[in-house]
Amino acid sequence: MDQGRFSASGLWERTCSSIRARVPENVYMQWFAGIVPVRMDDSKIVLGVSDDIYAKWLTENYSDILTDGLLSANGKQLKFEIETGHSVSFPEEDAGEDEAGAFNLESAHGFSTDSGTAPNCLPGYTFDNFIVGEENRYAYSAALTAAQAPGKFNPLYIYGSTGMGKTHLIQAVANRVHKTDSDTVVRYVTCEAFLNSYLDSLRTHSTFKSHFEFRNHFREVDLLLIDDVHQLGGKDQIQEEFFNTFNTLYNAGKQIILTSDKRPSEIRGLEARLVSRFESGVTTQITSPTTFETRLSILQHEQKEQLVKLSPDVIHYVAERISSSIRTLKGALMRLVAYSSMLGRSIPMAEAEGILADMLDKEAQTRKVTIDRIQQVVAEYFSLRVSDLTGTKRPKNIAEPRMIAMYLSREMTEHSLVDIGNAFGGRNHATVLHAVAQVKALSAQNQDLRHNISAVKRKIQG
Ligand code: ADP
Ligand code: MG
């Protein structure tokens, strides 16, 4: 693997010089300086960035510059591929003065041991950079407790849909422990990396020379933090390994923190014994940033670090209009900052709207589809009241629309079965699951039902 990495790094260094000569320095620093050359072969180079917004931004806006840069550095065309999930590190402001240090591969890979950042973690993912609001207050305190008193809340299970700050929070624990207590071993890993290491350990010539080493790697720790455990669903062999790792650590009183996009009981294909282990400690949800104040503080905090400042009315506008996730919120800010930096001037309100048009469209779509809206439309369509749908009466003319409404809530929103059950007069999740299955089965045979469902759906989408 090192062969690929070294040649990738040499080529990437030359590419950077070429790009740097073509774009303003602040653009270079903001978008290119942190890219990690991961590997290359004859046909392409793989470039690592932190997340999908960064990746999308690069591909949409700088593909040509990257392609040209690679051409001039390589002497012939070379494709590139962007891979997310890498620790990007931005050089200090004066790094450009230092010829040899212009690009430090070690620190860019997060290998450097003297840094204050835990392995595999981003330096910016700290408790200090995490804005606390109603939506994440409990998850924040639980994570902080786990960092300060490992083993107290065990396991800690944090769930919520994408872009809500789960990775930020779990890495904040790793960074805090790494920084304050060098004797405590904290290991952060994505579920996917755990899985890959496991598969790797079963092969010969593996990174972990034997399966034994793999086990020790994850079991001889004080805190094990595993991100996105919903990926265990349906993967039986790794679940067995995971179960054993979990038990070893748990029995030794070591802190385990897990994140997921669902409650344990809702991860499809997760063994019952793991579900019950995951639920046995503290479970906490992070929801979307519902309050304007939280969103505004996040943007203001983010702006402190940025060289390009946006006007307060533009910041307010973004906080008001983007609420689906913090990732999208920060993505909108990043896009405006990049525009402002490229144009070399400030962005007036009217222009901001145009620059964010596609994001605002998506927001409008996600915002419109709520369980409330689904209930209203279904009730209206079948000439019922919303209270009929949430009530307990069971005549057929109510029971069927109620099932349809539950089915659509499951299909068109990100709410869990439990949340949906609650919104329908406190029914339990099994009732919702049953309704969803029944609508699916019935609509396969019944054309009228299919017709009704799609008519309602169109109305909901407005
Ligand atoms: P998830 O893992 O839930 O998909 P991430 O942790 O990757 O979400 O968060 C997405 C982005 O939003 C990251 O840039 C992260 O720093 C930021 N973010 C999330 N929550 C907060 C918060 N409470 N305060 C500041 N930034 C946040
Ligand atoms: Mg994440």
Side-chain angles (χ1 to χ4, degrees), residues 55-77:
K56 189 159 179 271
W57 181 258
L58 275 180
T59 351
E60 282 180 4
N61 298 283
Y62 295 117
S63 271
D64 292 349
I65 293 206
L66 275 168
T67 308
D68 288 355
L70 285 166
L71 175 65
S72 58
N74 191 40
K76 60 179 180 9
Q77 291 275 6

Side-chain angles (χ1 to χ4, degrees), residues 51 53 124-125 129-133 136 160-169 227-228 259 286 294 298 301-302 325-328 330:
D51 57 26
I53 289 175
Y125 284 3
N129 284 338
F130 191 85
I131 305 296
V132 183
N136 55 30
S161 50
T162 177
M164 301 300 170
K166 303 182 296 296
T167 298
H168 186 136
L169 206 49
D227 209 354
D228 294 329
T259 73
I286 307 187
T294 310
I298 289 171
H301 183 84
E302 200 67 7
S325 84
I326 297 179
R327 180 175 292 134
T328 321
K330 280 195 175 175

Side-chain angles (χ1 to χ4, degrees), residues 357-376:
D358 59 325
M359 291 175 125
L360 294 169
D361 279 356
K362 270 202 203 118
E363 286 289 313
Q365 273 168 25
T366 37
R367 199 172 320 158
K368 238 183 278 162
V369 185
T370 59
I371 300 180
D372 279 352
R373 170 139 182 90
I374 293 173
Q375 290 175 337
Q376 275 160 18

Side-chain angles (χ1 to χ4, degrees), residues 204-223:
T204 42
H205 308 300
S206 64
T207 327
F208 297 99
K209 286 186 204 68
S210 67
H211 194 51
F212 185 69
E213 272 182 47
F214 162 82
R215 290 198 165 164
N216 289 348
H217 186 68
F218 291 106
R219 293 181 192 187
E220 290 183 355
V221 300
D222 298 301
L223 293 92

